Amino acid sequence: MYRLIEDETQREILTAADIHGFFVEPSTTEPESVIVIGSSLNPGKLPLSFEDVEFQVRDVQGKEIGAYYVGHVEVLGAKESGAIQDRIDLTVSLDGYALPYPYAGEIWRAWTYGPPAEPGLWKSLPAEAHESWLHVVQKAWFRSGRQAMLYGDADTYEIAGADLANIHSFYCALGEAVNGPGGYLGSNPSALADCLFNSRGKHKKLFRLAWRDFDVSRRNIDEEELDWALEVMRDYGVDIE
């Protein structure tokens, strides 16, 4: 699932089945050591350091679907893996690098079998996981070579306000509505503006957004965050019903 490489040379350092402690709760200020599960690297003398390191997420076919540049990695410990036969579990330090998306690891694991083929899979996750889903969507979207823009060509798109538990839910729903399952159309007002700006050359007029049960959205989403998103869409000519 994971591959560590030297970013500039693309030399493989190791492959691994999983990484624990890389995706953490947002409240975590000092991440504990990261555990690399089922590493192909069996280090000799410790500690062992690597520079200019990138973590890559790979699907079951070996295709890269996401990546994180982490810079310096130091291997502090190694033991026989309790999960993967003939592999090693490594304890590594990433100099404080950690990502506040606690559900991202399990979402990436699901995506290793392919991106979402059906709409609405993010709705099956708890509301607090929607930010992690949006993070994976954004990473995978750009890693696949797609741009920050609208790819659909319909006149009207629809989102269900009753499904929106927070502002991250909104961006999950909007990206999926206009760009299909696993689709991206921004993750904050600035990124949304980029997507809409980049789409204007492709579309003489952008689109109409039918926002069902808007009153439910208004109750669930932070008022300021919601108003920012509405203002950006209106500024770029999106008709909102």
Side-chain angles (χ1 to χ4, degrees):
M1 180 174 173
Y2 293 99
R3 181 173 179 250
L4 273 66
I5 66 166
E6 290 181 342
D7 185 54
E8 184 173 350
T9 66
Q10 295 294 295
R11 182 182 73 87
E12 182 177 286
I13 298 170
L14 62 84
T15 59
D18 207 349
I19 299 176
H20 295 173
F22 186 65
F23 301 107
V24 299
E25 294 290 341
S27 59
T28 302
T29 55
E30 284 294 330
E32 298 178 357
S33 295
V34 172
I35 308 299
V36 178
I37 306 296
S39 166
S40 61
L41 174 68
N42 189 354
K45 185 178 179 180
L46 295 174
L48 179 63
S49 296
F50 299 96
E51 303 293 339
D52 192 33
V53 175
E54 181 181 74
F55 275 109
Q56 295 180 345
V57 187
R58 298 265 168 158
D59 67 14
V60 294
Q61 304 299 324
K63 178 183 177 182
E64 181 186 338
I65 57 175
Y68 301 92
Y69 181 81
V70 297
H72 176 77
V73 172
E74 187 170 13
V75 183
L76 303 174
K79 65 178 182 178
E80 184 177 341
S81 178
I84 310 294
Q85 187 175 5
D86 298 325
R87 288 280 183 132
I88 303 297
D89 290 347
L90 302 177
T91 301
V92 304
S93 170
L94 304 180
D95 288 341
Y97 188 104
L99 290 165
Y101 304 103
Y103 293 85
E106 63 185 77
I107 295 169
W108 275 126
R109 182 164 296 283
W111 282 46
T112 62
Y113 295 95
E118 302 176 2
L121 293 181
W122 57 273
K123 301 176 191 177
S124 64
L125 299 173
E128 60 269 22
H130 293 173
E131 184 177 13
S132 295
W133 177 275
L134 182 62
H135 165 76
V136 170
V137 164
Q138 182 179 19
K139 278 283 185 181
W141 186 260
F142 290 112
R143 206 63 178 185
S144 69
R146 288 170 289 195
Q147 300 178 11
M149 62 183 297
L150 170 66
Y151 282 81
D153 56 5
D155 293 328
T156 300
Y157 298 99
E158 180 176 326
I159 60 176
D163 295 330
L164 310 185
N166 50 51
I167 193 62
H168 310 298
S169 310
F170 162 72
Y171 286 110
C172 290
L174 182 64
E176 181 175 84
V178 302
N179 281 328
Y184 172 82
L185 199 77
S187 56
N188 56 56
S190 178
L192 174 60
D194 285 343
C195 292
L196 297 178
F197 175 81
N198 294 336
S199 301
R200 291 194 301 185
K202 179 182 177 183
H203 303 267
K204 293 182 179 179
K205 183 178 180 181
L206 286 180
F207 57 88
R208 170 177 166 268
L209 181 66
W211 193 323
R212 308 304 179 198
D213 298 317
F214 180 79
D215 56 328
V216 180
S217 304
R218 177 65 79 181
R219 290 196 299 269
N220 291 342
I221 299 175
D222 177 84
E223 182 177 0
E224 187 175 31
E225 292 178 322
L226 180 58
D227 287 345
W228 283 347
L230 291 169
E231 181 179 352
V232 167
M233 288 189 290
R234 287 172 176 145
D235 284 349
Y236 282 92
V238 176
D239 295 327
I240 305 171
E241 178 190 324

